[in-house]
Amino acid sequence: MSTTWREIYRKIVHVALSLLLFAPFYFKLPPPLNPYSYYSLGLFLAAFINSVVVKKDKLTLEINALRDELHRFADSIGDIAKMPISILEEILTDFHSFVEKQLSLLERDYEKREGYVGLLYGIIGATSSLLVDPSHAFYGIVALAVVDVLASMSSLLIWNKGKTMGGEAIAFLSFAIILMSLGVPVLQSILVSAVATLSEYFSPEDNLTVPFFTTIAAFSLKLPERHPL
């Protein structure tokens, strides 16, 4: 898969996962779930996936060891057990290959060394925003879903580069327009969009800072409140 299509795939997954964060704002969660427990589950899953990425080499060795054990066990009890064991081995191999492929497509270069921190930091940023100000966290999650995606994809597709000022300008204008369409006054939309764009451009991990600082800006500028249901 080419670099461009790999990046497009990553951003599609980014948007899809971000959309899950909007659920408490549009749907009444079934008990015993509430917005905080919902985000906590997401945080746990993100941390678990990150731990799998960090230890995937060790997991590969353990899966190979299990496969060898299955072979030895099948040889010890005869041909009758070989078919179900070989089916189990095939399932394990296919699952491991699928996980490896998806992670390789989603990981950025530094994440191959440090784990899939984009997902983990994104849910940390969203959860922190919800805890700091539930009435304005919605704006931070919108920023998480669109600012990085628009900046990266426009830079890649138009200028064939990573971060560019042109890409940031497109993200800034687009997010400001989205805010205005949500009923936010023009000046406030421009200021909040500027905070989100600067957080994306200068941060070492934009998935962490964009939702948090956008939420703080939305609260400080008194944007219309949007509470979880």
Side-chain angles (χ1 to χ4, degrees), residues 28-114:
K28 187 70 175 176
L29 298 174
L33 284 179
N34 58 52
Y36 301 99
S37 60
Y38 178 79
Y39 274 47
S40 296
L41 286 173
L43 187 57
F44 171 81
L45 290 173
F48 179 79
I49 292 171
N50 189 66
S51 70
V52 170
V53 175
V54 170
K55 297 184 177 181
K56 66 180 179 180
D57 292 336
K58 180 183 177 183
L59 290 173
T60 299
L61 292 175
E62 291 174 348
I63 289 173
N64 289 334
L66 176 60
R67 189 182 297 124
D68 293 338
E69 284 293 324
L70 288 172
H71 277 298
R72 283 194 289 271
F73 179 70
D75 291 339
S76 69
I77 60 177
D79 294 335
I80 296 177
K82 285 186 177 180
M83 182 173 292
I85 288 177
S86 53
I87 292 173
L88 176 59
E89 179 187 357
E90 185 177 346
I91 291 171
L92 282 171
T93 302
D94 290 345
F95 177 73
H96 181 254
S97 299
F98 172 77
V99 172
E100 284 262 301
K101 181 179 180 181
Q102 298 309 308
L103 292 176
S104 68
L105 290 172
L106 293 172
E107 287 173 330
R108 291 168 282 190
D109 289 337
Y110 69 88
E111 289 174 335
K112 296 180 188 299
R113 303 184 300 273
E114 301 169 14

Side-chain angles (χ1 to χ4, degrees), residues 30 35 159-160:
W159 292 279
N160 197 28

Side-chain angles (χ1 to χ4, degrees), residues 14-26 35 38-40 42-43 119 122-127 130 137-138 140-142 144-145 207 211 228:
H14 176 103
V15 172
L17 293 174
S18 298
L19 290 176
L20 292 175
L21 297 173
F22 287 109
F25 294 91
Y26 288 102
Y38 178 79
Y39 274 47
S40 296
L43 187 57
L119 173 63
I123 190 65
I124 290 175
T127 303
L130 186 70
F138 176 84
I141 297 167
V142 175
L144 175 65
N207 290 325

